[in-house]
Amino acid sequence: MRIESGFVIPQAMLLVLALLVVGGGIALVASSGATQNDFSQSDDEASALAELEREVNFAAKSGGVSPDTYERITDELDRLENAGGSTERIRALRELLGTLEVGGSKAVAKTGIPSPKPPPPAPPPPPPPIAPLFASLPLYDRTTCPDSSEGNDIFIRNGIRYRVDQEVRRWAEEFCGPDASTPLVPTPPPEPSQPPQPACESNASPSFTNHITDMSKVNYIGPPPTMGAGPSLKPHSYIGTDHARVPVYAPTDMTLETGAYFEGGPYGLDFRVSCEVTLRFGHITEPIEEIRAVFPATPAPANDSRSQQITRKVSFKAGELVGYTTGTSAAGNWDFGVYNSTVRNRYADDPAWNISATYTTAVCPFDYFSAAMRAAYVAKFNSAALGGNLPHGDPFCKI
């Protein structure tokens, strides 16, 4: 130890000062606890490291970081480490970062030691040798197809590989298909065709058990046939109710199959009673909603009474309401006709009128009621009430 000017300078301190001077200047030490790496760290890098420490410590308190933040901090630590940052501080940050939740899962701390690579997968074992015989049909029970996954020449059956002969290959392709490993399902023979179910029941003489309207409101009935202007044959009867609003009922079980909705009609309704017998109501002004719903929303032009396709059939039981009507606007009457395909009336042999089954199969509609009910209709027969529609020959209805 030397003493100069009252100061005591240790010899070790003199040696350090001499070395610093020789190195080109005196280095200032920021703190007595700094490591060698701290001397090479710039102010910007130290500031960046301090900011990362603050961010990671905050994340440790808040519970975790997002995957993007984790990746950014990891990249920044890599950069600072390559730039000569504090190894101990960076390692401590990596360890703390590894304890955080990253997007809901634990992070894996990055260390300087690379993870060992997994060993390469073992090569697959060689296929078993081919059996020293050709596969022939007796090997197969013809109910299970061999596995042809190795091609058309090798089949695997019960773990044994066989080279097939032409007979087996031909059978397998026919029975299993060229590439199938299960038997082809043969198409079952078609089931014996069932005769179509009839859409109607055969009954050439059905019974009408309910009146078609309130008979007290009927003023007259014009029995068929009559002839209008034109000439125009009318093979149906007329029910005269003088514009009164009267109900219309189903006289028997029947199904609406077609009809017409046109201006001035407004509704003509054709019902099937049996395979042989049909029934028609004409000039029905207020059919029930279920009937209106199956016809077009817009009526056809006036006098276009051709049958229209309805969207579905509507069935009625005897006595059920079909609708209400006030009849035609001019005469206040409405139509009731019945047609039987087993009957050939006198128009069947008349070339002027045998152009339509409506003309040639029309019958007396009241003949299908009981005697007592028929008498109620016959009592109101009055052909003269029809005015211009005169009777045409002998009436269908015998009194």
Side-chain angles (χ1 to χ4, degrees):
M1 177 181 296
R2 295 182 59 188
I3 300 175
E4 294 184 5
S5 303
F7 291 98
V8 178
I9 302 175
Q11 292 183 354
M13 190 65 174
L14 292 175
L15 179 58
V16 170
L17 291 174
L19 290 174
L20 290 175
V21 171
V22 172
I26 299 176
L28 297 178
V29 180
S31 73
S32 60
T35 65
Q36 183 177 358
N37 286 330
D38 292 325
F39 288 101
S40 61
Q41 186 174 0
S42 67
D43 292 340
D44 291 341
E45 291 165 351
S47 176
L49 185 56
E51 178 62 24
L52 287 180
E53 288 175 332
R54 183 198 65 78
E55 185 174 1
V56 173
N57 287 326
F58 178 79
K61 295 177 182 179
S62 62
V65 294
S66 68
D68 291 341
T69 301
Y70 176 83
E71 184 176 358
R72 177 180 59 77
I73 294 175
T74 302
D75 292 342
E76 184 67 9
L77 289 175
D78 290 343
R79 184 188 69 78
L80 293 174
E81 188 174 23
N82 294 332
S86 171
T87 303
E88 293 181 1
R89 293 170 67 189
I90 291 174
R91 182 184 298 274
L93 278 179
R94 289 193 193 279
E95 291 176 355
L96 180 57
L97 189 63
T99 64
L100 303 181
E101 293 283 343
V102 180
S105 61
K106 280 285 187 180
V108 179
K110 182 176 178 181
T111 64
I113 303 174
S115 301
K117 294 183 179 180
I130 299 175
L133 71 155
F134 281 93
S136 59
L137 283 178
L139 291 172
Y140 302 105
D141 56 11
R142 292 177 180 252
T143 60
T144 304
C145 289
D147 183 354
S148 58
S149 58
E150 294 194 25
N152 293 330
D153 293 330
I154 303 295
F155 284 138
I156 302 175
R157 180 62 182 268
N158 297 330
I160 303 176
R161 302 166 71 243
Y162 296 98
R163 191 179 303 281
V164 301
D165 56 19
Q166 292 182 354
E167 188 180 12
V168 171
R169 185 182 302 111
R170 183 167 53 251
W171 165 79
E173 290 181 356
E174 291 177 358
F175 182 66
C176 306
D179 301 314
S181 59
T182 56
L184 295 177
V185 178
T187 303
E191 300 233 350
S193 60
Q194 299 293 331
Q197 296 298 320
C200 56
E201 293 184 6
S202 178
N203 187 357
S205 300
S207 296
F208 292 176
T209 59
N210 200 88
H211 281 307
I212 61 173
T213 190
D214 180 355
M215 293 300 292
S216 67
K217 301 292 181 67
V218 177
N219 297 317
Y220 68 88
I221 294 176
T226 57
M227 186 65 70
S232 176
L233 178 62
K234 306 296 183 181
H236 55 76
S237 67
Y238 288 92
I239 310 298
T241 49
D242 291 338
H243 302 287
R245 183 177 182 265
V246 296
V248 180
Y249 301 113
T252 186
D253 294 355
M254 60 187 193
T255 300
L256 178 67
E257 289 192 338
T258 185
Y261 173 41
F262 58 100
E263 294 180 2
Y267 287 90
L269 307 174
D270 293 327
F271 300 87
R272 180 160 297 282
V273 176
S274 68
C275 294
E276 298 83 9
V277 178
T278 57
L279 179 152
R280 174 175 293 177
F281 287 134
H283 302 291
I284 306 302
T285 54
E286 299 175 53
I288 63 172
E289 174 60 31
E290 193 171 5
I291 291 178
R292 293 199 301 269
V294 301
F295 281 94
T298 304
N303 299 321
D304 185 2
S305 59
R306 291 174 296 178
S307 295
Q308 299 167 344
Q309 183 71 37
I310 61 176
T311 57
R312 62 181 179 85
K313 298 179 180 181
V314 183
S315 296
F316 294 84
K317 303 296 286 184
E320 288 187 335
L321 182 69
V322 173
Y324 292 89
T325 187
T326 56
T328 64
S329 57
N333 56 31
W334 43 285
D335 304 343
F336 173 44
V338 173
Y339 312 86
N340 192 322
S341 63
T342 65
V343 173
R344 295 179 77 253
N345 62 29
R346 66 173 179 268
Y347 296 108
D349 298 322
D350 187 340
W353 300 108
N354 61 5
I355 57 176
S356 169
T358 300
Y359 297 145
T360 62
T361 65
V363 294
C364 176
F366 310 107
D367 288 349
Y368 294 90
F369 291 94
S370 67
M373 296 179 73
R374 183 181 187 275
Y377 293 97
V378 172
K380 296 180 181 287
F381 280 5
N382 183 4
S383 298
L386 294 177
N389 275 33
L390 300 177
H392 190 251
D394 293 336
F396 294 154
C397 301
K398 307 300 181 183
I399 299 177

